Amino acid sequence: MSGLDGIGVKVIDAGGDGSARAVLREIETLLTVLVEKGEEGSIDLSSLPLTPEAYDLLEETLGEGEVTAEVSSLGVTRVHETGIPGVWWVTHYNEDDDVMAEFIEVTHCPEILLTPEDDVKDGLEALRARLFEENMNKSSVE
Amino acid sequence: MTFMDLLLWARGPALVGAVAIFVFGMVLRLFEIYSLGRKPDLAPPRSGGPGSGWRTLWARSIPSKPFFKVSMLTYIAGYTFHLGFFVVLLLLAPHIMLIRSVTGLHWPNLPTPLIDLVAVITLLALIVTLVNRIMDPVKRFLSGVGDYVAWTVTFLPLLTGYMSYHHLLLDYTLMLAIHIMSVELLLIVFPFTKLTHMMSLFISRWFNGDWFARRGVAS
Amino acid sequence: MQDETLLDILKKRGVSRRAFLKFCAAATSLMALPPTMASAVAEALAKAKRPSVIWLSFQECTGCTESLTRSFSPTLESLIFDAISLDYHETLQAAAGTAAEAARETAMKENWGKYLLLVDGSVSTRGGGYYSTVAGKTNLETLKEAAAGAAAVVCIGTCSSFGGIPYAKPNPTGAVPVSDIVKDKPVIHVPGCPPIPAVITGVLVQYLTFGTIPDLDELGRPRSYYGDTIHDRCYRRPYYDQGKFAKSFDDEGARNGWCLFELGCKGPTTHNVCATTKWNQGTSFPIQSGHGCLGCSEPNFWDNGSFYQALSTPIDSVAAAAATAAVVGVAAGVGVGIANHHAKAKAKAEHETVTVNDLEK
């Protein structure tokens, strides 16, 4: 039971949209760069003084896209492509589910989804080891 | 000495000193002027009652057509900056806070962006009056050091206030300190320059109106 | 152990490369660097060596350490603290007494010229500094000794940065900030009472990542965190611009969440990131909770006038001075008036009537 409800606090819209419109303009600029030069860009949302209304406006304008992904490493990272292809929303959570950092990434695919080069090599080795083990097991059964 | 120390000095001892000099100076000047007195007028008044002085207060404040045609710029720029100055001084929230904390009196404030616009217009009007003063041969001839000092100390509080609100050039804390000190400068030189007209203007106007009425040309 | 890179340490803890990438993205955000720097941060961190850190506590309340340790979300900050070698911290270390002092001396000797010195609390100087001692040594002595071998000094909190509470009037212990004692080493100020934990770690991460001192303002504070005022980034700023103010802590304006300027908020003159980074994992900050900013990251915040007095109002009593001045003015005015009348009367008395006859002479 929290006594907070008893406190007469009203939240009234300060007017304006916080920084949402500025962020949307920046996304437009970054997207233009991606289209014309192929350079990727991103915006650090956690460093901006965004009000809940600004967040809503941002989410509303960008919409939902086709891809949703979840990366489990050092807590969860939720990635989804917005309704604007090439604009991704990346939220890093820690193990307590608090937001560690939040980015808008303007890219063909966010880096966190790509398998790192070294991991591919490690993977190949791991697979070979597993196949070798299986072969050994088979031959020992025969 | 940090910027904050300067701001504290400006808000503390410097303000007290400046207000003391201002009040002392104004009281002294007014006493000096009005204690000189006039010779009693022994002739019976020709017309008008006490109303003429009060009517002149208003009549002289409205520019007459022929004068307005000749010196339109002086009238428009003059009125603009005087009104603008008082709007900024009396209707900006932080200023009302200051007046309230000293006198206990307070009134509603205007939105800051509006004050901001008025400040810009006021600054422009002041610049126009200065340029006009320098370009116009008659005005230039009539102007002395005191006139330029009066212009400068009026201009500075507006400029520094505008700059501190917009965080221009200097750190806000320092700019605010400079702004307050520029007002203190204005207060200090006020009683000893032509700026004293703020107090003497309407009294003189009333006196002239009353005097003229006694002479038979009531307004 | 000292030659291990940060990436080696993280790998040992089973941190994958994706996790490392995530760590770097968060670290970049923490350092308030542009997100495009993340790959540069990753590259630098992969090569970063484990620096030795010595933390000295002087005249302080341990609030700064509390701020840092209580805030631990068990990932980012703890990883950073695993990455540094915290060789001495009175409150956090297990060792006590002579063993603790021995640990400090060993760490100093082994890393002479390379370790990072963190200080919270101001330094007592009166009578040689005997008001605050640890293990029989004055703080003054310990600081001089430890600073001599440090690569840089980071002042955690307002007390070590600007003197803080012990430095407040009448300053009975003769407290001074660290920068009054340490003149020949780079000194970074991370003020705040306490500082935001993310800012403390951000400065450490920058040192860890690039081995450099961040860009500092004229008061020695990293510009990336102390570049803007609270007022600049306050979500209540639109109300200030509209001229809507709370006039008391329980009026309609306060309930509507209007600007707290008139209630003495020091946001316009206070440089910090509370308004964006916020406290308690980004939950809130004082203004959001309905109280004006105290200005705790500025020098002498304790003596900068009342916390509840608006910034535009006078500190001393103007009315009394004005009344006195008016009385003196009246007296002087009467004096001048009398003198003028005398002058007038005298002129009148000395006036000689000139007749036509006189002129004809």
Side-chain angles (χ1 to χ4, degrees):
Chain A
M1 245 314 269
S2 123
L4 285 177
D5 300 336
I7 302 174
V9 172
K10 276 194 280 182
V11 177
I12 287 195
D13 188 7
D17 48 44
S19 318
R21 211 145 291 281
V23 174
L24 287 167
R25 283 288 172 201
E26 198 178 343
I27 294 172
E28 189 199 357
T29 311
L30 292 177
L31 206 53
T32 317
V33 172
L34 183 67
V35 169
E36 285 172 3
K37 295 186 194 157
E39 283 172 20
E40 299 172 342
S42 58
I43 300 167
D44 183 0
L45 289 182
S46 29
S47 70
L48 298 171
L50 289 174
T51 56
E53 296 83 46
Y55 255 96
D56 291 347
L57 184 67
L58 214 56
E59 277 177 349
E60 221 172 88
T61 315
L62 293 174
E64 281 287 329
E66 293 169 331
V67 186
T68 309
E70 212 173 82
V71 181
S72 302
S73 126
L74 263 188
V76 175
T77 292
R78 296 205 175 87
V79 181
H80 75 265
E81 194 173 24
T82 66
I84 311 295
V87 179
W88 297 75
W89 196 302
V90 182
T91 315
H92 298 298
Y93 296 87
N94 65 15
E95 281 149 8
D96 285 350
D97 256 359
D98 301 315
V99 176
M100 263 164 74
E102 191 162 29
F103 298 91
I104 298 278
E105 294 198 18
V106 180
T107 171
H108 295 286
C109 180
E111 203 183 347
I112 192 122
L113 294 182
L114 298 172
T115 312
E117 201 65 34
D118 289 345
D119 284 5
V120 180
K121 283 178 199 158
D122 291 350
L124 180 61
E125 269 171 38
L127 181 64
R128 277 179 182 156
R130 277 179 207 176
L131 288 174
F132 178 71
E133 222 169 278
E134 216 167 295
N135 276 340
M136 290 293 281
N137 288 344
K138 259 186 203 164
S139 55
S140 66
V141 169
E142 279 165 12
Chain B
M1 182 151 177
T2 62
F3 298 159
M4 184 55 88
D5 294 334
L6 196 65
L7 177 61
L8 290 175
W9 182 76
R11 286 171 63 197
L15 183 67
V16 170
V19 169
I21 292 174
F22 171 75
V23 172
F24 167 79
M26 286 311 281
V27 171
L28 177 69
R29 287 300 299 275
L30 291 178
F31 252 89
E32 208 182 339
I33 294 167
Y34 298 114
S35 68
L36 280 174
R38 295 261 173 177
K39 277 185 185 167
D41 182 20
L42 300 174
R46 292 200 183 178
S47 67
S52 183
W54 298 107
R55 278 194 297 277
T56 308
L57 275 189
W58 288 110
R60 288 284 172 90
S61 301
I62 300 157
S64 70
K65 260 189 189 159
F67 278 145
F68 188 75
K69 259 185 206 161
V70 175
S71 38
M72 192 157 50
L73 192 70
T74 311
Y75 274 115
I76 294 177
Y79 263 94
T80 309
F81 100 71
H82 274 96
L83 288 174
F85 192 89
F86 282 107
V87 167
V88 174
L89 175 67
L90 297 176
L91 295 174
L92 179 70
H95 295 168
I96 298 173
M97 278 303 292
L98 169 68
I99 295 162
R100 185 185 183 178
S101 73
V102 176
T103 63
L105 300 171
H106 60 101
W107 47 84
N109 58 284
L110 281 181
T112 319
L114 194 62
I115 298 281
D116 196 36
L117 180 70
V118 173
V120 173
I121 294 170
T122 310
L123 283 168
L124 290 175
L126 268 167
I127 291 169
V128 167
T129 59
L130 180 70
V131 171
N132 181 243
R133 186 185 281 277
I134 294 170
M135 302 299 283
D136 189 302
V138 177
K139 279 183 184 152
R140 188 171 59 222
F141 177 73
L142 289 173
S143 300
V145 179
D147 294 286
Y148 294 107
V149 168
W151 184 90
T152 309
V153 294
T154 313
F155 188 76
L156 284 179
L158 281 160
L159 180 71
T160 53
Y162 178 82
M163 284 170 79
S164 63
Y165 174 69
H166 287 279
H167 294 214
L168 295 176
L169 205 64
L170 298 172
D171 181 80
Y172 177 81
T173 311
L174 177 59
M175 206 68 212
L176 184 63
I178 293 175
H179 173 60
I180 295 174
M181 289 191 292
S182 73
V183 176
E184 285 156 3
L185 183 67
L186 173 67
L187 286 174
I188 291 169
V189 304
F190 207 98
F192 311 108
T193 56
K194 288 181 185 171
L195 294 170
T196 323
H197 76 266
M198 181 183 92
M199 295 300 277
S200 58
L201 169 75
F202 291 102
I203 303 173
S204 304
R205 229 168 239 183
W206 177 88
F207 182 82
N208 278 341
D210 196 62
W211 192 253
F212 287 170
R214 294 173 79 90
R215 294 285 176 89
V217 276
S219 59
Chain C
M1 187 87 161
Q2 293 296 328
D3 293 329
E4 272 187 322
T5 67
L6 182 65
L7 191 58
D8 294 333
I9 296 163
L10 294 179
K11 264 187 190 165
K12 266 191 197 159
R13 283 174 51 100
V15 171
S16 73
R17 283 187 186 78
R18 268 205 195 89
F20 182 63
L21 199 68
K22 180 169 169 174
F23 171 82
C24 292
T28 311
S29 173
L30 190 66
M31 281 187 279
L33 292 172
T36 41
M37 289 288 285
S39 56
V41 170
E43 206 173 303
L45 273 180
K47 285 188 219 144
K49 291 281 191 300
R50 192 175 194 227
S52 168
V53 172
I54 293 174
W55 182 314
L56 298 177
S57 298
F58 296 147
Q59 298 192 109
E60 46 86 42
C61 67
T62 316
C64 298
T65 304
E66 288 286 339
S67 166
L68 194 59
T69 52
R70 297 286 162 185
S71 75
F72 271 11
S73 47
T75 49
L76 188 62
E77 283 92 341
S78 60
L79 279 175
I80 290 163
F81 272 82
D82 284 338
I84 64 172
S85 160
L86 190 55
D87 292 321
Y88 180 86
H89 187 301
E90 279 159 22
T91 316
L92 301 180
Q93 74 197 137
T98 12
E101 295 308 304
R104 180 171 61 81
E105 272 155 29
T106 315
M108 278 170 55
K109 212 180 278 172
E110 279 176 8
N111 302 291
W112 192 256
K114 285 183 290 188
Y115 60 83
L116 201 58
L117 182 64
L118 270 53
V119 181
D120 65 336
S122 60
V123 189
S124 160
T125 56
R126 176 172 284 181
Y130 53 66
Y131 284 85
S132 181
T133 59
V134 174
K137 255 185 181 171
T138 65
N139 293 163
L140 188 62
E141 234 179 304
T142 312
L143 175 64
K144 280 181 181 166
E145 207 181 281
V153 184
V154 183
C155 295
I156 308 290
T158 303
C159 293
S160 54
S161 300
F162 305 131
I165 314 283
Y167 185 72
K169 288 167 193 160
N171 191 358
T173 65
V176 295
V178 167
S179 52
D180 277 15
I181 311 285
V182 182
K183 301 279 187 193
D184 53 350
K185 296 281 155 128
V187 178
I188 306 167
H189 291 158
V190 186
C193 194
I196 299 178
V199 176
I200 305 176
T201 38
V203 171
L204 297 184
V205 168
Q206 163 135 21
Y207 184 76
L208 192 69
T209 314
F210 302 113
T212 55
I213 310 292
D215 185 23
L216 303 176
D217 70 4
E218 69 279 356
L219 291 173
R221 303 175 293 196
R223 282 187 202 279
S224 45
Y225 300 107
Y226 298 92
D228 291 323
T229 63
I230 299 291
H231 187 62
D232 282 334
R233 313 222 99 194
C234 182
Y235 79 106
R236 295 193 186 198
R237 178 68 185 265
Y239 291 123
Y240 174 85
D241 293 339
Q242 291 162 18
K244 290 177 177 166
F245 298 96
K247 311 271 179 193
S248 82
F249 283 108
D250 59 354
D251 71 352
E252 189 65 18
R255 275 188 286 276
N256 289 344
W258 288 355
C259 178
L260 299 167
F261 182 87
E262 297 198 358
L263 293 173
C265 181
K266 301 291 179 287
T269 55
T270 306
H271 298 76
N272 210 334
V273 279
C274 302
T276 41
T277 304
K278 301 190 180 174
W279 290 83
N280 302 323
Q281 273 86 45
T283 307
S284 180
F285 73 112
I287 294 171
Q288 195 172 345
S289 308
H291 193 287
C293 169
L294 302 183
C296 75
S297 59
E298 297 295 322
N300 305 327
F301 80 99
W302 205 256
D303 291 323
N304 285 348
S306 163
F307 291 150
Y308 301 101
Q309 200 184 0
L311 266 173
S312 66
T313 58
I315 296 171
D316 301 332
S317 170
V318 171
T324 315
V327 171
V328 176
V330 168
V334 168
V336 171
I338 290 169
N340 285 343
H341 271 283
H342 271 291
K344 226 165 135 184
K346 202 179 164 202
K348 220 174 186 176
E350 284 171 0
H351 181 79
E352 287 174 25
T353 318
V354 180
T355 62
V356 181
N357 296 335
D358 294 329
L359 289 174
E360 277 179 347
K361 272 180 194 170

